[in-house]
Amino acid sequence: MNAMSTSAPSRRRAQRDLSTAPLLVAARGGRPSRVPVWFMRQAGRSLPEYRALREGVPMLQSCFDPEMLAEITLQPVRRHGVDAAILYSDIVVPPYAAGVGIEIVPGTGPVIAEPVRDAAAVAALPELAPEQVAPVAEGVRLLVERLGDTPLIGFAGAPFTLASYLIEGGPSRHFEHTKALMRSEPELWHTLADRLATMALTFLKVQLDAGADAVQLFDSWAGALSLREYREFVLPHSAKVLRGLAEYDVPRIHFGVGTGELLTAMREAGADVVGVDWRIPLDEAVRRLTADGSPAPAVQGNLDPALLGASWPVIEAEVRRIVAEGRAAAGHIFNLGHGVPPGTDPAVLTRVAELVHSLEP
Amino acid sequence: MNAMSTSAPSRRRAQRDLSTAPLLVAARGGRPSRVPVWFMRQAGRSLPEYRALREGVPMLQSCFDPEMLAEITLQPVRRHGVDAAILYSDIVVPPYAAGVGIEIVPGTGPVIAEPVRDAAAVAALPELAPEQVAPVAEGVRLLVERLGDTPLIGFAGAPFTLASYLIEGGPSRHFEHTKALMRSEPELWHTLADRLATMALTFLKVQLDAGADAVQLFDSWAGALSLREYREFVLPHSAKVLRGLAEYDVPRIHFGVGTGELLTAMREAGADVVGVDWRIPLDEAVRRLTADGSPAPAVQGNLDPALLGASWPVIEAEVRRIVAEGRAAAGHIFNLGHGVPPGTDPAVLTRVAELVHSLEP
């Protein structure tokens, strides 16, 4: 179903034999020994051990401390017994490392000192040199040593979502500046998105060179666009990132929220695994992804994070439904439809992971 | 295509002959003399005359001042030459009128003094008596006198969206409390939603009795739900509102953001006109709404409000595209895919209205 070989692990990854790791088997469209499960934003504020470790340490500082980022990445693997670690990072880490003035303000999110809204600002955007994220590479090396047989998923924000932060100057509800620039100045948009694609590609290559076993490209806010806009203004740039990793022969997961209309296009960008939020069930996602005769895809997601605060019988029924519907896919990776809410009781996540593991793949 | 008669206007509305008003003709699936256009949140902060009139007057106070609400409702009709007035109000007006402690905080939105999260709070929710919104009825009567041949659209929030404010305590991104209550305590949810449906129905009947010519039920945040959840937990209550107005024989518009998956269900609830945001084109919306053999619907919406800040050629191309795609519907009412952003240049809205009127229906 995809261009990856399952028989010839690259030299780089030969240090660990992960050929039967459920996450990688499912991502490649195979039949794993159990349904693999991990949670977006599993490393983070829902864990008391995370809050303790981060105390007094600014977010962006913690992302460049190899020991700290390794430990934070490991915490949910230890606690929940999930089938993957996801590199602890942030969408703005690459531009921050390259020298863009960015601060992550607790309760707000990333705040950009000088929003990027004109040709001069786009031209002034620095490139990311691999050395600028050397501490992340070192953290990945520590993780590969410590993770045993659990795969590590590399992390990067996709060009559209990253651009939206840089253009709006921070988190946004309506993406007014981003859409106005994209549509009114398409050449400038494409120049900016291409630079951000290069940045994301560099960041992911650093992680893969250091030993990451898969990647997830987060285009969290792509669902704010129509399919037409996505195809013209976003797909080529996300494709540059995902297709640019083909030589690494690792599974590429591609995710966004509210992307029911975009799933086929997001797969076309070069995804091996298509992320799905909670709005459409996995079997419906598979139906859409195969409507044009394409082979069945691997999919990931669908548990509504807002339901982690519901009663256990509700959560259990949802987990069972999702695992059943996931059987329509070539491979199914259990996950939420978006990140773990900060107020989540971590015991619920552990229980979800245990339930998923108890069910027939 | 719907249950409304086009030949027998009710006694109440006989005071104005609006039988050829483009909005009402299009809403009934007829061929209007021009494509009707109005803008959600056209009465509001984008207009300097609105900001001047509201100066020093709290939002909820202005909604209960008949002269002020009539004048605010009229302002965009005068300025833009739109084909409908939409009653100036707020989603929380009915519970506020009924006695629920609510304040609208500038820059935040409605803040509920005591969020409604348990059986006691639901039981304590007061009913809305028509007299409690008598100033709104008086405002509608003033409007009907002053609007000439422009129809007035009545306004109410749908049970789900209204419930989300009451349960969360204010605006929400993820609706965690709402979804947890809905799923964990379905009986309590249904009791609450039924009460809010009764409230919305009372509020809309007051507006129709006073002379409103159509209604729009705003389920702005329904798109946060899966279709399954919508059908089980929301549709019956919105249907109680919309079907409860059948005797008035006026067009019922039903709108929400991000509802591409819900359009058919939202029509089933009793809509004559289905609102569509900017994520799927109107011809695709019509395709979905007729896929089960249903007759072609009337539709409304699709211009992305975020593009009102783009260059005029971009906006013009979008308007032409939307009018062309709208011809697939039985009737097309031009509108945005959500409300006018507060920072919008009102001259752009006037220009959009003029362009829509210059195009072949």
Side-chain angles (χ1 to χ4, degrees):
Chain A
M1 58 146 296
N2 56 45
M4 298 178 300
S5 150
T6 53
S7 56
S10 74
R11 184 172 44 78
R12 186 183 48 77
R13 285 178 296 122
Q15 45 191 314
R16 293 205 286 169
D17 177 12
L18 297 179
S19 60
T20 61
L23 180 100
L24 300 180
V25 173
R28 293 174 191 278
R31 184 62 64 184
S33 56
R34 65 185 190 186
V35 178
V37 50
W38 68 281
F39 305 109
M40 289 186 273
R41 213 188 293 140
Q42 63 188 11
R45 278 180 288 166
S46 66
L47 300 185
E49 58 269 35
Y50 168 84
R51 298 194 297 269
L53 193 58
R54 268 286 313 284
E55 198 154 347
V57 183
M59 171 84 193
L60 283 170
Q61 185 179 322
S62 67
C63 293
F64 289 86
D65 176 328
E67 275 294 343
M68 189 174 284
L69 81 82
E71 175 58 20
I72 291 173
T73 301
L74 277 164
Q75 285 173 343
V77 178
R78 272 191 218 113
R79 182 189 268 262
H80 302 309
V82 285
D83 296 280
I86 173 87
L87 184 74
Y88 172 71
S89 189
D90 188 274
I91 279 179
V92 297
V93 157
Y96 174 79
V100 177
I102 300 174
E103 195 186 350
I104 295 184
V105 178
T108 298
V111 174
I112 316 299
E114 297 176 30
V116 177
R117 294 183 188 168
D118 58 26
V122 170
L125 201 69
E127 286 195 11
L128 175 68
E131 314 83 76
Q132 291 172 312
V133 284
V136 177
E138 180 55 26
V140 170
R141 280 187 288 270
L142 295 175
L143 279 162
V144 172
E145 281 169 19
R146 297 172 189 176
L147 271 166
D149 56 4
T150 302
L152 174 65
I153 303 172
F155 175 109
F160 170 76
T161 292
L162 185 48
S164 80
Y165 285 102
L166 295 178
I167 296 170
E168 303 293 336
S172 172
R173 273 180 78 92
H174 303 298
F175 307 100
E176 293 172 22
H177 294 288
T178 307
K179 289 179 178 180
L181 189 151
M182 173 188 281
R183 300 295 298 271
S184 303
E185 302 180 77
E187 283 188 37
L188 184 60
W189 164 263
H190 284 299
T191 303
L192 172 61
D194 182 67
R195 280 168 173 256
L196 298 177
T198 303
M199 207 176 252
L201 190 54
T202 299
F203 189 45
L204 288 171
K205 283 184 171 179
V206 163
Q207 295 172 45
L208 290 167
D209 287 337
D213 307 290
V215 297
Q216 177 156 321
L217 188 65
F218 287 79
D219 211 354
S220 309
W221 312 134
L225 301 172
S226 69
L227 176 58
R228 225 171 330 213
E229 288 175 317
Y230 182 84
R231 284 196 175 278
E232 181 171 352
F233 297 104
V234 178
L235 195 157
H237 306 292
S238 295
K240 176 173 172 170
V241 182
L242 292 168
R243 298 194 180 284
L245 300 173
E247 61 183 298
Y248 285 90
D249 191 29
V250 298
R252 294 158 296 183
I253 312 171
H254 197 187
F255 167 77
V257 180
T259 52
E261 312 295 334
L262 309 181
L263 295 177
T264 297
M266 289 181 77
R267 185 188 197 186
E268 278 174 37
D272 304 300
V273 182
V274 179
V276 179
D277 84 353
W278 61 91
R279 290 177 177 87
I280 60 169
L282 295 179
D283 51 358
E284 169 64 15
V286 170
R287 199 193 59 71
R288 292 183 191 188
L289 285 160
T290 55
D292 64 355
S294 295
V299 295
Q300 171 182 285
N302 201 230
L303 181 60
D304 188 344
L307 293 183
L308 293 172
S311 63
W312 177 252
V314 170
I315 299 172
E316 177 173 354
E318 287 288 299
V319 170
R320 290 180 182 275
R321 171 184 71 73
I322 290 165
V323 170
E325 291 166 352
R327 294 195 189 105
H332 170 212
I333 298 168
F334 192 97
N335 207 322
L336 307 176
H338 197 188
V340 174
T344 302
D345 174 1
V348 171
L349 295 174
T350 305
R351 201 168 173 190
V352 168
E354 286 168 358
L355 175 59
V356 171
H357 286 156
S358 77
L359 301 174
E360 197 67 34
Chain B
M1 60 146 294
N2 55 45
M4 298 177 300
S5 149
T6 53
S7 56
S10 74
R11 185 171 44 78
R12 187 183 49 75
R13 284 178 296 120
Q15 46 191 316
R16 293 205 286 169
D17 177 11
L18 297 178
S19 59
T20 61
L23 180 101
L24 299 180
V25 173
R28 292 173 192 279
R31 182 65 62 184
S33 56
R34 64 186 192 185
V35 178
V37 49
W38 67 281
F39 304 109
M40 289 186 273
R41 214 188 293 141
Q42 62 188 12
R45 279 179 287 165
S46 67
L47 301 185
E49 58 268 35
Y50 168 84
R51 297 194 298 269
L53 192 59
R54 269 285 314 283
E55 198 153 347
V57 183
M59 171 82 193
L60 283 170
Q61 186 180 321
S62 66
C63 294
F64 288 87
D65 177 329
E67 277 293 343
M68 189 173 284
L69 81 80
E71 174 58 20
I72 290 173
T73 301
L74 277 164
Q75 284 173 344
V77 179
R78 272 191 219 113
R79 182 190 268 263
H80 302 310
V82 285
D83 296 281
I86 174 89
L87 184 74
Y88 172 72
S89 188
D90 188 273
I91 280 179
V92 297
V93 158
Y96 175 78
V100 177
I102 299 175
E103 194 185 351
I104 296 185
V105 179
T108 298
V111 174
I112 317 299
E114 296 176 31
V116 176
R117 295 184 186 167
D118 58 26
V122 171
L125 201 68
E127 285 196 13
L128 175 68
E131 315 82 77
Q132 292 171 311
V133 284
V136 177
E138 180 54 26
V140 169
R141 280 187 289 269
L142 295 176
L143 279 163
V144 171
E145 282 169 20
R146 297 173 189 175
L147 271 166
D149 55 3
T150 303
L152 174 65
I153 303 172
F155 175 109
F160 170 75
T161 293
L162 185 48
S164 80
Y165 286 102
L166 294 178
I167 297 169
E168 303 292 336
S172 171
R173 273 179 77 92
H174 303 299
F175 307 100
E176 292 172 21
H177 295 288
T178 308
K179 289 179 177 179
L181 188 152
M182 173 188 283
R183 301 295 299 270
S184 302
E185 301 179 77
E187 284 187 37
L188 184 59
W189 164 263
H190 284 298
T191 302
L192 172 61
D194 182 66
R195 280 167 173 256
L196 298 178
T198 303
M199 207 177 255
L201 189 54
T202 299
F203 189 45
L204 288 171
K205 283 182 171 181
V206 163
Q207 296 171 45
L208 289 168
D209 287 337
D213 307 290
V215 298
Q216 178 156 322
L217 188 66
F218 286 79
D219 211 354
S220 309
W221 312 134
L225 301 172
S226 69
L227 175 59
R228 225 170 330 214
E229 288 175 315
Y230 182 85
R231 283 195 176 279
E232 181 170 352
F233 297 104
V234 178
L235 195 157
H237 306 292
S238 295
K240 177 173 171 169
V241 183
L242 291 169
R243 298 194 180 283
L245 300 173
E247 60 181 300
Y248 286 89
D249 191 28
V250 298
R252 295 158 294 183
I253 312 171
H254 197 187
F255 167 77
V257 180
T259 52
E261 311 297 333
L262 309 180
L263 295 177
T264 296
M266 289 181 77
R267 185 187 197 186
E268 278 174 37
D272 304 300
V273 182
V274 180
V276 180
D277 83 353
W278 62 90
R279 289 178 176 87
I280 60 168
L282 295 179
D283 52 357
E284 169 65 16
V286 170
R287 200 193 59 70
R288 290 184 192 187
L289 285 159
T290 55
D292 63 355
S294 296
V299 295
Q300 171 183 285
N302 199 231
L303 180 60
D304 188 344
L307 293 184
L308 292 172
S311 63
W312 177 252
V314 169
I315 298 171
E316 177 173 354
E318 287 289 298
V319 170
R320 290 180 181 276
R321 171 184 70 74
I322 290 165
V323 170
E325 289 166 354
R327 294 195 189 106
H332 170 213
I333 299 168
F334 193 96
N335 207 322
L336 307 177
H338 197 188
V340 174
T344 301
D345 174 0
V348 171
L349 295 174
T350 305
R351 202 169 172 188
V352 167
E354 285 169 357
L355 174 59
V356 171
H357 286 157
S358 77
L359 300 174
E360 197 66 35

